[in-house]
Amino acid sequence: MNILLAMIPAFFWGTTYAVTQYTLADWPPLLLGAIRALPAGLLLLAFKPTLPKKGEWQILFSLGLINIATFFGLIFVMALTLPSAISGVGMISVPVFAMMYNWLINKNKPSLIQGVSGAALIALAWMLFDPSSISLNPIGLGAMLAAIMCIVVGSSITKSLGNRMHWWTVLTWQLILGGVILSIAAGVQAIKEPSTYASVIEHFSMTNLSGLLWVVGLNTALGYGMYVWLLQRMSVVDFTFGGIANPIAGIVTGLVLLGESFTPFQYSLMIGMIVMSLLPQAILAIRQNRPSPVECQQH
């Protein structure tokens, strides 16, 4: 049941790209990032007020800068420059980069199945992103690579906190601080490019409002709230299975909202990438649930 619940935030996160292109196509990424992060953080703070201790502000600022300000900005650059399906599927290559990061930085050598799945994932992505078969914006691809590294580095910092800080404080204040950083950056951009922001205000519509409510309310406040709530009740490995809803949401919403379509071969490559990203966790879960020889003898 928890895995089905884990699919809900993953699905909402996967809709970010298509919903943004469909409802907020002309909005600056910095402004979108600020609107997504700060109201959601303040909403969570109102729901359960917390205040970081004196020595915790620096690490929370770092998390807000990496996990929220930089990551959200990059996500909206991707949303406005890449097909929704490509963004959703491309982001599932995070485990490969996390594996390489842990190997190089923490000297944690990947297992055989992790190595094989990672290599297969890279090969499938290489074929899917082949310039001769699909035209992709290099700025969007660069933003995708940078966003993946934000996840890897930000997750490493978050994990290093361990029991030093309450998870709700980490969640709430990284959203607030990241949102403040993005708001300042958007303010500076508005001074330099006033016409862009004036156009947003002048042409504000119900379509824009519906997109903002989706991104702020469902995508961020509900999505992140369910994420941290579920991680208290299930393992990270189990939660990962719910992540299959993310690229599927990207593919489906891109098809429904934007009319994106790909060849059967390209769809097969996407499915292959999804399977390869889940394979190591699936094998690990099977091994963990397999009864030990002692238990078998007792039965």
Side-chain angles (χ1 to χ4, degrees):
M1 183 62 184
N2 280 341
I3 291 177
L4 294 177
L5 289 175
M7 289 184 179
I8 296 174
F11 178 85
F12 284 131
W13 294 336
T15 65
T16 304
Y17 316 105
V19 169
T20 300
Q21 283 192 42
Y22 187 73
T23 63
L24 303 159
D26 299 321
W27 286 48
L30 288 175
L31 177 62
L32 286 171
I35 293 175
R36 180 183 180 186
L38 191 55
L42 293 173
L43 188 64
L44 294 175
L45 182 65
F47 182 74
K48 183 179 179 181
T50 59
L51 190 65
K53 297 175 183 176
K54 185 178 180 181
E56 297 174 345
W57 286 102
Q58 185 175 355
I59 190 71
L60 284 172
F61 180 83
S62 298
L63 279 174
L65 179 62
I66 297 170
N67 270 1
I68 305 301
T70 307
F71 179 69
F72 278 14
L74 291 167
I75 283 293
F76 284 116
V77 170
M78 289 168 53
L80 296 171
T81 55
L82 293 177
S84 175
I86 293 296
S87 295
V89 172
M91 289 300 288
I92 64 171
S93 57
V94 169
V96 176
F97 287 86
M99 179 179 68
M100 293 170 64
Y101 180 85
N102 279 325
W103 192 4
L104 294 172
I105 304 300
N106 301 323
K107 309 302 180 186
N108 292 333
K109 189 176 180 181
S111 65
L112 177 61
I113 187 61
Q114 287 175 327
V116 171
S117 297
L121 197 57
I122 291 172
L124 290 166
W126 187 272
M127 289 187 283
L128 179 62
F129 298 155
D130 183 2
S132 64
S133 62
I134 188 170
S135 178
L136 297 174
N137 190 314
I139 294 175
L141 290 176
M144 179 190 292
L145 181 61
I148 289 172
M149 291 312 299
C150 282
I151 294 176
V152 173
V153 175
S155 298
S156 298
I157 295 174
T158 304
K159 189 173 182 180
S160 70
L161 293 175
N163 297 320
R164 287 165 44 197
M165 204 180 306
H166 195 275
W167 60 267
W168 187 265
T169 304
V170 174
L171 169 71
T172 302
W173 283 96
Q174 70 172 330
L175 279 168
I176 293 173
L177 293 173
V180 168
I181 294 168
L182 281 165
S183 298
I184 294 171
V188 172
Q189 186 185 27
I191 293 171
K192 291 185 175 182
E193 303 172 17
S195 60
T196 303
Y197 285 75
S199 177
V200 165
I201 296 171
E202 184 180 343
H203 298 102
F204 189 81
S205 65
M206 290 303 295
T207 300
N208 297 147
L209 179 62
S210 63
L212 291 175
L213 289 175
W214 184 280
V215 169
V216 175
L218 299 176
N219 222 322
T220 310
L222 177 63
Y224 274 80
M226 286 193 69
Y227 168 68
V228 294
W229 181 78
L230 284 166
L231 281 183
Q232 307 307 305
R233 291 159 177 78
M234 62 193 300
S235 70
V236 175
V237 171
D238 287 340
F239 185 85
T240 305
F241 287 110
I244 191 174
N246 189 311
I248 290 174
I251 294 169
V252 172
T253 53
L255 182 65
V256 173
L257 295 180
L258 306 173
E260 294 176 357
S261 62
F262 300 88
T263 65
F265 178 65
Q266 287 170 333
Y267 279 123
S268 68
L269 291 174
M270 293 179 191
I271 293 170
M273 288 180 68
I274 294 171
V275 171
M276 284 299 119
S277 72
L278 293 174
L279 187 60
Q281 287 85 356
I283 291 175
L284 178 60
I286 291 170
R287 287 175 178 172
Q288 288 177 342
N289 293 326
R290 184 184 297 166
S292 66
V294 175
E295 291 174 335
C296 291
Q297 290 174 2
Q298 289 174 345
H299 290 294

